[in-house]
Amino acid sequence: MNRQARRAAARGKTKAPGTPPEIALWFDAALDHQQAGRTAEAARLYDRILAADPSHLNSLQNLGLIALLAGRHDLAVNQFTRALALNAAQPDQHHYMAVALQGLGRSAEALAHCQRTLALKADHLGARTLLGEILQAQGKHDEALACYERVLAVDPGNEPALANLATVMAAKGRFAEASQAYERALALNPDNPLTHSNFGIFHHDRGDLERAIGCYVRAMELKPEHLDAHYNFCAALLGLSQFDAAAAYYEQFLPLKPDFIAGYSHLALAYNGAGKTQEALAAVQRGLAKAETPFGKSVFVQCLRNLTTAPDEALRDLIVRAVSEPWTRPNELTRQCVALIKANAEIAACIERAGAAWPSHPSGDELYGRAGLNALSHDTLLRVYLENSRVSSLDMELFLTAVRAVLLETAASAQADTALAENTLAFYGAIARQCFIAEYAFLQSDMELSRVNVLRDAVTAALRADAPIHPIQLASIAAYGPLHSLTESEKLLTRAWPMPIDALLTQQIREPAEERRLRVSIPALTPIDDRRSSVD
């Protein structure tokens, strides 16, 4: 129990007029327990008093204080609400309510109670300090600074106000004054872990990592569960390139705090910095399995980019999401995606056959073999890679060119009732989307151009006649040119299509139309002058 809480509890020590004798005895006993730190015994007696007298103000207040000091801010708010209903003119009650509300993250309400406290008692230093903290969290540094300076004008030895003043001064770039304020705060209370940690951050931001580490270590000694100190300590080690030390520290610390999610990402960075990429990926996987954070996803991508061998199959699902959501620019993971795709022997054989046959295109049976098309159609990573990233290797380009030719041959002979597996259509839809992304740069023969023109004419005629169109025909056309270039292309949007084809329509008709609409609506900032510049 701190001094302020002890004084507040003691205010109720005197028996109020008309108080039954047994309640006075219970209250005195409860207060003795509370001041001795036996809060459970005190709380039981306060509850007994309130059962007999629900309006016993001091019992409500002291129960609120017990809850507040135990970190039970929700319970504290309930008790202080009842107390304020009995007496709203008590500044301390408003202050304690503000502390409890701030603990729940309800800053706007906490701010209102701070202001109410100061309206009742302008020199209430606790409320003034808390008001500064709320304003500081809102980024209102000048107003927060004014609060702390006003507190220190009355009480120059107010350690919390000094520590907060130091943080605000650092944020305002007044570094020399900030350092002096931290030193004064620590001279007043050398055992405050938060001040040591914040002083460490101050040194860290200034680039003095050695001094920062000293501060973090002291904060951890005083409060081993201070997670920010652990996190920043290892960040400083990483900043000093002490990768093995940081990794060893986290391997010891994380078993004690397995829910410290950021720690897994820092462990991964430490291993990554030490050149132990496999260990780094294993560490960040552990963190992502517990909770997916933007930092964790970013570290996963960073570690994956450093991988020089084919990724492990266990990483496949994460890589699919990293490319499709995406967690980074998909092109940054091209090498890793292709390596994992080629790890499938059936797919690798298809790629090799396409390269061996170049410049001829093998037939579907020759290209796919017995199981190639099934493997290609069921490889989710291949599909999302084609849909989101541009192919950049020669062997993959030759393979996709061969697949496109097979797709065209399949579409040319397809009838309206020709059955096609959903996965196969999704694969061919991904091929078409890749061709659009690559701006149709893949080589095409005169025979292919002739066939696709015939197919385009047939689809256009079907649109005009409202006749059936096989989805594979649209995928094939879209692999050689954008669907929005089709005559009557807008009629495609009036029909229901399988999901892979609808995605093609979005890429090649809906989105280009929206881009054209936005282009017209964007105002020109300066007049357009088409005259050429000249040099005298």
Side-chain angles (χ1 to χ4, degrees):
M1 185 181 237
N2 61 27
R3 286 185 301 166
Q4 191 176 29
R6 191 179 298 114
R7 286 197 298 267
R11 291 191 188 100
K13 185 80 173 181
T14 304
K15 178 182 174 182
T19 301
E22 66 275 14
I23 288 183
L25 290 173
W26 293 342
F27 183 81
D28 288 346
L31 188 58
D32 289 338
H33 283 308
Q34 186 175 356
Q35 291 177 331
R38 298 185 295 271
T39 54
E41 291 89 340
R44 280 194 290 270
L45 285 170
Y46 289 135
D47 284 334
R48 182 188 297 180
I49 293 169
L50 290 168
D53 180 6
S55 62
H56 197 276
L57 181 61
N58 290 316
S59 291
L60 286 170
Q61 173 182 283
N62 288 354
L63 274 175
L65 288 171
I66 289 172
L68 192 61
L69 294 173
R72 292 291 311 278
H73 298 104
D74 51 347
L75 183 57
V77 166
N78 290 338
Q79 301 295 355
F80 294 135
T81 298
R82 293 172 61 189
L84 284 169
L86 295 170
N87 183 3
Q90 237 254 28
D92 280 343
Q93 297 284 9
H94 286 282
H95 174 228
Y96 296 137
M97 175 65 95
V99 174
L101 289 166
Q102 182 67 1
L104 292 173
R106 294 159 60 177
S107 298
E109 296 168 83
L111 180 67
H113 280 280
C114 280
Q115 293 169 335
R116 180 59 179 155
T117 304
L118 294 170
L120 293 168
K121 186 179 179 181
D123 61 349
H124 197 293
L125 302 186
R128 186 76 62 184
T129 302
L130 179 58
L131 177 61
E133 292 172 0
I134 296 171
L135 294 169
Q136 182 179 343
Q138 294 175 347
K140 299 176 180 178
H141 294 136
D142 289 333
E143 295 176 55
L145 189 65
C147 286
Y148 301 141
E149 288 176 337
R150 186 164 175 178
V151 171
L152 292 168
V154 177
D155 180 10
N158 190 302
E159 181 260 335
L162 266 173
N164 291 335
L165 179 77
T167 305
V168 172
M169 284 182 165
K172 290 178 63 63
R174 295 164 59 176
F175 303 127
E177 296 169 274
S179 182
Q180 292 172 1
Y182 276 125
E183 296 283 4
R184 287 169 58 198
L186 288 171
L188 290 167
N189 184 4
D191 294 332
N192 189 325
L194 181 59
T195 306
H196 282 287
S197 181
N198 287 340
F199 203 12
I201 294 171
F202 173 83
H203 292 308
H204 202 144
D205 290 344
R206 310 275 80 69
D208 191 346
L209 298 182
E210 296 286 358
R211 289 190 69 182
I213 285 175
C215 292
Y216 298 143
V217 168
R218 183 58 183 147
M220 291 185 291
E221 290 172 346
L222 292 167
K223 189 177 181 181
E225 67 274 19
H226 195 308
L227 296 182
D228 284 348
H230 290 279
Y231 181 87
N232 291 325
F233 167 70
C234 283
L237 289 178
L238 293 176
L240 292 170
S241 297
Q242 295 182 21
F243 303 117
D244 289 330
Y249 182 83
Y250 267 126
E251 287 291 14
Q252 292 181 347
F253 178 70
L254 284 173
L256 303 176
K257 291 288 183 180
D259 293 329
F260 182 40
I261 305 303
Y264 297 95
S265 295
H266 257 181
L267 174 60
L269 289 174
Y271 277 132
N272 202 43
K276 300 175 181 178
T277 312
Q278 296 289 358
E279 291 89 338
L281 285 166
V284 73
Q285 271 186 281
R286 288 159 59 193
L288 289 171
K290 289 180 174 294
E292 293 187 357
T293 64
F295 181 47
K297 293 176 181 179
S298 173
V299 170
F300 173 77
V301 168
Q302 183 176 337
C303 296
L304 190 63
R305 285 203 304 260
N306 282 357
L307 191 63
T308 56
T309 59
D312 189 271
E313 186 66 28
L315 296 173
R316 178 180 286 270
D317 288 344
L318 285 176
I319 296 175
V320 165
R321 295 186 53 209
V323 173
S324 60
E325 289 186 7
W327 296 358
T328 185
R329 291 188 180 92
N331 284 342
E332 295 182 3
L333 299 179
T334 291
R335 176 172 53 84
Q336 293 78 9
C337 288
V338 172
L340 193 52
I341 290 166
K342 288 181 178 179
N344 184 310
E346 295 291 347
I347 295 177
C350 291
I351 295 172
E352 289 176 6
R353 286 192 287 267
W358 182 260
S360 298
H361 294 322
S363 67
D365 290 341
E366 293 170 337
L367 177 63
Y368 298 139
R370 289 178 54 192
L373 182 57
N374 183 64
L376 292 163
S377 299
H378 286 83
D379 193 308
T380 305
L381 178 59
L382 173 61
R383 180 174 55 77
V384 300
Y385 167 64
L386 293 175
E387 291 172 350
N388 294 280
S389 182
R390 184 167 181 166
V391 167
S392 58
S393 62
L394 178 59
D395 60 347
M396 286 296 291
E397 183 175 335
L398 296 180
F399 165 66
L400 294 178
T401 303
V403 171
R404 185 181 62 174
V406 171
L407 168 60
L408 179 58
E409 183 180 346
T410 303
S413 60
Q415 302 298 316
D417 57 352
T418 302
L420 191 68
E422 182 180 348
N423 287 327
T424 302
L425 182 60
F427 167 60
Y428 283 135
I431 294 291
R433 291 173 68 175
Q434 170 61 209
C435 293
F436 182 88
I437 292 171
E439 299 177 340
Y440 300 99
F442 300 145
L443 292 176
Q444 49 197 6
S445 66
D446 291 341
M447 181 179 293
E448 287 176 275
L449 287 176
S450 176
R451 282 184 173 180
V452 80
N453 284 333
V454 170
L455 189 58
R456 287 169 63 91
D457 290 343
V459 167
T460 299
L463 284 172
R464 288 171 176 165
D466 198 23
I469 299 171
H470 197 289
I472 197 70
Q473 295 176 324
L474 289 188
S476 182
I477 292 171
Y480 286 89
L483 290 174
H484 66 73
S485 65
L486 274 175
T487 305
E488 313 281 349
S489 63
E490 69 279 358
K491 290 185 178 180
L492 292 170
L493 302 179
T494 65
R495 300 191 183 193
W497 298 100
M499 187 167 59
I501 301 303
D502 193 67
L504 264 179
L505 297 177
T506 295
Q507 181 198 50
Q508 301 190 12
I509 297 180
R510 295 187 184 99
E511 290 178 351
E514 179 65 10
E515 290 171 5
R516 290 192 297 272
R517 186 189 67 80
L518 292 174
R519 190 181 302 125
V520 173
S521 67
I522 296 174
L525 298 179
T526 58
I528 298 175
D529 189 344
D530 289 334
R531 291 175 299 174
R532 295 181 181 180
S533 60
S534 59
V535 178
D536 292 335

